[in-house]
Amino acid sequence: MSITDTDTDTMSWNPKALDEILSNDEGRPVLFTNARILTMDPLIGIMTGADLLFVGSLIVGVGPAIVTAAEDDNAIVVDCTGMTIAPAVVDTVALAGGRGHRSEYVATLTPGNAPDFLVVPDELATDVPNAVVTLISRPERVRALVAAGRPVLWAGADVPGRATAPQAGIPISPDLTGSPRVGVWIDVKDFLHQELTADGRYDETRGGRPHAYQGRYWIDGDRIDYLDDLGFWAYGEFQGDELHHAGYVMKLG
């Protein structure tokens, strides 16, 4: 990507810090320091000359003077002078005042939340919507886009080895022969029987009515996605030896 230099040498923005973050396998803290931070948290608000500290995929501190402990903690330090840090995910309901409790806010830059954020020059981030617009319309001006603590964009360019988006289109069902999750799952009230077969198909019996719903499924970690032959999507979650789906709790029969 060709980048026009307008205010600083964007391609050399904190290159050492990027290398350290990408090679950070020891759980070192990462500190973005001396920034204006739009936390979107109603208690913390906007902070200037502030620091954002995270370890792995968890924010552990936000505010001024955290940098004083950076050397003690062997933190990776990213100088954000002249930059604004904003949430990368916008909670539009919160922006409109539609959440009644602070704990209900989604994606704020608050200790305990995931470090999903943008670093943008101050003049391009007067507020969170403007910061997001910069990402969409002028990505070359974005200094960093971080998702769950891992850089995705840096100095306006894709980060080497970054995650790639899934390809569009319905994926091919994998061969699940031998998977411990293949079999007939039965809910605790014996109403729903959901058979998962090794060819990536499911077949539901509901209240004794066979083939009530049939379709394809895909498992990603503990998540299962369903595409019914009628065309609708649904999902479930494996929790230990249980499968939770649409209010039902099932176990292998």
Side-chain angles (χ1 to χ4, degrees), residues 20-225:
E20 289 185 294
I21 294 171
L22 293 179
S23 61
N24 182 20
D25 296 325
E26 298 119 22
R28 292 174 62 192
V30 180
L31 181 73
F32 281 64
T33 185
N34 198 32
R36 175 172 169 262
I37 303 179
L38 310 177
T39 69
M40 291 306 298
D41 183 288
L43 177 62
I44 300 173
I46 298 173
M47 311 190 83
T48 57
D51 308 327
L52 181 71
L53 178 68
F54 60 91
V55 179
S57 59
L58 191 69
I59 296 173
V60 296
V62 60
I66 301 177
V67 71
T68 57
E71 185 174 347
D72 296 338
D73 297 335
N74 191 30
I76 299 168
V77 178
V78 184
D79 181 17
C80 295
T81 301
M83 301 292 153
T84 292
I85 296 176
V89 180
V90 179
D91 186 345
T92 55
V93 175
L95 283 174
R99 299 201 189 280
H101 299 280
R102 177 175 172 245
S103 60
E104 297 172 351
Y105 279 54
V106 177
T108 59
L109 298 181
T110 307
N113 284 356
D116 296 327
F117 62 89
L118 285 161
V119 182
V120 179
D122 288 341
E123 66 273 16
L124 298 177
T126 54
D127 53 26
V128 172
N130 275 322
V132 174
V133 166
T134 299
L135 172 65
I136 296 169
S137 63
R138 304 177 69 183
E140 73 278 0
R141 299 297 309 281
V142 173
R143 296 301 188 271
L145 170 61
V146 176
R150 299 296 296 176
V152 176
L153 295 178
W154 197 273
D158 289 346
V159 171
R162 57 166 283 182
T164 56
Q167 292 184 346
I170 305 302
I172 297 173
S173 296
D175 180 2
L176 296 172
T177 301
S179 170
R181 289 169 171 170
V182 167
V184 179
W185 294 81
I186 303 173
D187 87 290
V188 294
K189 296 182 180 179
D190 199 32
F191 175 82
L192 175 65
H193 292 211
Q194 184 183 93
E195 182 179 10
L196 303 180
T197 57
D199 60 355
R201 297 279 302 174
Y202 69 91
D203 189 344
E204 287 190 0
T205 298
R206 288 176 170 245
R209 178 167 56 98
H211 315 308
Y213 291 106
Q214 296 173 293
R216 301 166 65 186
Y217 74 91
W218 298 265
I219 295 175
D220 183 5
D222 288 330
R223 178 186 174 103
I224 178 170
D225 286 280

